[in-house]
Amino acid sequence: MIQRTFCLLATLAVCAWLVWTRLIWQPIDGVPVIVVDIDTLRADRLGAYGYERETSPHLDAFARDAAFFRWTFSQAPNTPPSQSSILTSLYPTTHGKFRNQAVLPAAATTLAEALSAAGYRTAAFADGGLMAGGFGFEQGFDTYDDEGGRLRVIGPKVVDWIDSTLRSGDRRPFFLFIHTYDVHTPYEVSPARFRDRFLESLERPDREFLAGVSAAMSEAERRNKAGQPSPLDALQLQWIEALYDGGIRHVDWWFGKFIGVLRQRQLLEQAIVVVISDHGDAFQEHGRLLHAVTYSPVTRIPFMLRAPGGRGAGVYDEVVQSIDLMPTVLDLLDLEIPHQAQGQSLRPLLEGGALPQQLAFTSDPHATRFTVTTTRHRLHWRPEGGSTELYAYRDDPLEQVPLDDPETEERLLAQVGQWLETTQSTQLQESAEVETIDDELTRQLRALGYLD
């Protein structure tokens, strides 16, 4: 009797598993898609990625119920090329949008265009600056609000848009893209209760530094580029890192409120919700500040994807790229992936399978430095002069101890060369440049440190 009962229970368990698997991995048809793009957020400053300071309790909670990718790398360390890659699934060496003033080529198919063609309503609320309309990011969006104002302004607009969409009676699914500079410099403009959260235990730097923290960072980086290094001292560095972490805590607080809105509107369990960033900031790990280099502190980014009902949730250690976002979302929706897309769908991973390849490629803002990431190593290569640096990044995530391994370097150089040849052969037409920058955009760019 006991043996028969055990067999029956085992059979029921197998049947339940088969039913669960079928329910989980049928195509997700017509569900909302929400992407939260937190500009300048480096992965290793979140608790979910091992950070000790409590910067991100709400993002950490979201990661536990999502597909959480621990080793995601951006395709560039600065906004224009990296955001272009996120939205088009193209490498910068193909879409060509490296320069701040360049316009994303119309020949590039964006995620918004692909979803619009599939019948989605599309809306973006971007934080202005280098994400302003006119730079090409608006392609495919029915609504592209680039007024900016950080989350203080953007957040309420997003909730109003969601509520008006739900009230409208329009049964089409929607794609909502939210972009914020709240972690970007100037760090000191975060709301005081978040800005000061991690400063209390620190000694105060001199008054001149405190009067212009972000200006001091910009000047130090300018001198670095000019070959006249003038590093910040240890106390100044602690101060700016604490300010940066306070900005993350502010965004995390907003994100917790936003998840509450989605839950109250019964959207959280229905939607595909993504958290991603375009790059991080450096804090002199290689003598540099801000975001112009391709080392891991800048180009390792957070990436979390929650499918409806938390399907496929888990921790994934495979190497993935920001260009994988677009094909993954389209594949989960059972929609056609544009033939030009260079990323790969991560759906096989979420179904318990494997990825065809685990390589990530990154270019610096001037396409003078290229980086390849494998499951074990990162190789940085400067074609001019032929210099290379090799790191075992999983054991050395800040890339502080170069390896001496000529055989691995030679193999990875061959992979970079092959990738470069392929992507340059598919390059779209030369990017145009925005002709005029109005007063408001000038103000935004100056506030972000892009104009003197």
Side-chain angles (χ1 to χ4, degrees):
M1 179 67 178
I2 294 175
Q3 184 176 7
R4 186 185 309 164
T5 302
F6 176 80
C7 291
L8 177 61
L9 290 173
T11 301
L12 289 172
V14 170
C15 291
W17 180 83
L18 290 172
V19 170
W20 180 85
T21 303
R22 182 173 179 82
L23 288 174
I24 289 300
W25 292 116
Q26 62 184 352
I28 304 168
D29 185 22
V31 303
V33 176
I34 301 169
V35 174
V36 179
D37 185 336
I38 306 170
D39 207 291
T40 324
L41 176 61
R42 56 187 271 180
D44 64 1
R45 291 301 168 120
L46 301 180
Y49 288 88
Y51 197 42
E52 294 182 358
R53 188 175 270 169
E54 194 179 15
T55 56
S56 53
H58 298 292
L59 286 164
D60 298 344
F62 179 78
R64 289 192 292 270
D65 198 25
F68 173 60
F69 302 99
R70 293 185 65 226
W71 299 102
T72 306
F73 292 91
S74 65
Q75 274 46 81
N78 58 316
T79 295
S82 184
Q83 295 285 9
S84 298
S85 291
I86 289 172
L87 291 173
T88 65
S89 190
L90 298 175
Y91 289 108
T93 41
T94 293
H95 64 62
K97 182 173 163 50
F98 284 98
R99 303 179 307 281
N100 287 350
Q101 68 273 30
V103 178
L104 181 67
T109 301
T110 67
L111 177 57
E113 288 176 310
L115 291 175
S116 180
Y120 272 67
R121 298 179 63 173
T122 58
F125 293 86
D127 213 350
L130 293 177
M131 291 293 289
F135 289 118
F137 296 115
E138 70 276 14
Q139 290 179 203
F141 285 106
D142 303 325
T143 298
Y144 195 85
D145 185 321
D146 62 354
E147 182 182 2
R150 300 199 171 205
L151 288 172
R152 178 183 62 83
V153 175
I154 294 171
K157 286 185 178 181
V158 166
V159 175
D160 287 346
W161 186 88
I162 289 173
D163 287 343
S164 65
T165 297
L166 295 178
R167 288 194 304 265
S168 70
D170 188 336
R171 305 314 300 167
R172 290 179 297 164
F174 65 81
F175 169 43
L176 174 61
F177 178 78
I178 306 163
H179 166 267
T180 173
Y181 281 124
D182 277 83
V183 179
H184 194 287
T185 52
Y187 304 149
E188 57 267 39
V189 302
S190 296
R193 66 190 176 108
F194 299 104
R195 181 196 64 210
D196 299 340
R197 184 179 181 90
F198 304 113
L199 297 175
E200 295 175 356
S201 62
L202 299 181
E203 182 182 345
R204 294 178 68 84
D206 61 79
R207 290 184 178 180
E208 183 180 356
F209 175 81
L210 291 176
V213 175
S214 294
M217 292 176 64
S218 296
E219 175 60 17
E221 181 60 10
R222 185 193 66 78
R223 292 177 65 86
N224 281 332
K225 292 177 181 177
Q228 303 168 337
S230 180
L232 301 179
D233 63 37
L235 180 56
Q236 292 171 333
L237 203 56
Q238 288 179 352
W239 195 266
I240 66 169
E241 291 188 69
L243 287 173
Y244 178 81
D245 291 347
I248 297 173
R249 186 59 188 250
H250 172 225
V251 173
D252 180 80
W253 170 83
W254 171 85
F255 183 76
K257 298 291 186 183
F258 181 62
I259 290 297
V261 168
L262 297 183
R263 185 175 287 113
Q264 291 168 2
R265 276 63 168 182
Q266 299 183 341
L267 288 172
L268 184 61
E269 294 301 316
Q270 302 176 31
I272 296 173
V273 182
V274 176
V275 175
I276 197 166
S277 180
D278 56 344
H279 58 76
D281 260 351
F283 297 115
Q284 293 186 173
E285 290 87 355
H286 294 85
R288 302 293 297 272
L289 292 163
L290 305 174
H291 43 268
V293 293
T294 60
Y295 295 110
S296 287
V298 176
T299 54
R300 183 187 176 198
I301 57 171
F303 182 22
M304 314 166 193
L305 185 153
R306 190 182 192 280
R311 307 171 187 184
V315 178
Y316 297 91
D317 280 326
E318 287 80 357
V319 174
V320 301
Q321 311 180 79
S322 59
I323 57 172
D324 296 335
L325 168 62
M326 177 178 176
T328 300
V329 167
L330 295 176
D331 196 13
L332 288 174
L333 295 169
D334 205 29
L335 297 175
E336 183 178 356
I337 300 170
H339 71 278
Q340 64 182 200
Q342 294 170 322
Q344 61 182 338
S345 170
L346 305 180
R347 180 174 174 177
L349 263 188
L350 307 187
E351 294 177 338
L355 294 177
Q357 73 162 19
Q358 291 189 56
L359 293 172
F361 295 95
T362 305
S363 311
D364 77 354
H366 309 289
T368 58
R369 176 189 177 108
F370 303 100
T371 300
V372 58
T373 305
T374 71
T375 55
R376 294 183 58 196
H377 297 104
R378 298 195 88 218
L379 178 73
H380 303 273
W381 172 52
R382 292 183 179 92
E384 185 177 348
S387 65
T388 58
E389 296 174 61
L390 181 69
Y391 297 94
Y393 67 92
R394 298 203 183 204
D395 299 323
D396 178 22
L398 298 182
E399 297 182 351
Q400 298 293 290
V401 184
L403 302 179
D404 183 11
D405 186 346
E407 184 178 341
T408 298
E409 285 195 10
E410 183 176 358
R411 175 171 54 83
L412 297 187
L413 275 174
Q415 289 180 314
V416 174
Q418 183 180 12
W419 164 79
L420 198 54
E421 181 179 351
T422 299
T423 58
Q424 289 181 335
S425 69
T426 57
Q427 186 172 4
L428 304 180
Q429 75 268 25
E430 183 73 16
S431 295
E433 293 190 0
V434 55
E435 295 182 359
T436 59
I437 297 179
D438 62 25
D439 291 344
E440 174 57 22
L441 181 54
T442 297
R443 183 195 65 77
Q444 292 174 356
L445 293 172
R446 181 172 289 116
L448 292 165
Y450 292 110
L451 297 175
D452 294 332

